[in-house]
Amino acid sequence: MDQAVLPLTPTEEERSLAAIVPPPTADAYWLTPYGVPGAGSTNTTYIAGHSREGRASPFNNISSLAKPGDRLTVTTAEGPLDYTVDRITTENKDTLKDSAIWDKVPGRLILITCFTEDLWGKNIIVQASPVPAN
């Protein structure tokens, strides 16, 4: 997967409910009020995108393609950053706001998308940690 990522600033209501819905495009979105990837990160970096059956979407099939131990690379203006996938989980949308994914963890990367078999009820969450620099 090679996906461009655009900035997105959720509303206060979306943030308080953890009900962040990216625009209905084939793009992925970095949630700007949270972490920034790279050195000096003070929070988790979140990237959200849609999954859809029968249509191109940024995170289609991510739950079947990503596995713990896989490497992800995020390219920033400062260069590429490598992450290792720690785990892939399914979260209910109605309880997502209380999930540990919102805990402040500097350097962590979270990818959030809909579960194509239950678009309105569940999200797929990919959690990854930065690969230590040599």
Side-chain angles (χ1 to χ4, degrees):
M1 175 172 74
D2 185 6
Q3 179 65 49
V5 179
L6 303 173
L8 177 66
T9 304
T11 66
E12 280 302 317
E13 181 180 17
E14 287 173 322
R15 287 180 68 190
S16 69
L17 296 173
I20 299 162
V21 180
T25 67
D27 298 303
Y29 291 90
W30 160 55
L31 305 182
T32 60
Y34 302 98
V36 176
S41 171
T42 60
N43 198 348
T44 299
T45 300
Y46 298 91
I47 299 175
H50 291 290
S51 291
R52 294 194 176 102
E53 239 179 276
R55 268 175 61 184
S57 290
F59 294 151
N60 275 0
N61 303 314
I62 199 166
S63 63
S64 61
L65 296 174
K67 304 283 183 251
D70 285 353
R71 287 274 175 104
L72 299 173
T73 301
V74 175
T75 303
T76 69
E78 288 77 36
L81 301 166
D82 291 322
Y83 293 83
T84 300
V85 173
D86 299 317
R87 57 192 228 154
I88 298 99
T89 58
T90 303
E91 299 266 358
N92 291 319
K93 288 180 188 269
D94 60 352
T95 58
L96 187 64
K97 71 181 179 96
D98 300 318
S99 171
I101 70 163
W102 300 108
D103 293 348
K104 196 179 253 192
V105 179
R108 180 175 63 166
L109 174 68
I110 299 272
L111 306 178
I112 304 171
T113 192
C114 296
F115 182 50
T116 55
E117 293 177 23
D118 186 4
L119 292 175
W120 303 108
K122 294 184 181 169
N123 287 115
I124 299 295
I125 310 295
V126 176
Q127 298 183 49
S129 299
V131 173
N134 293 336

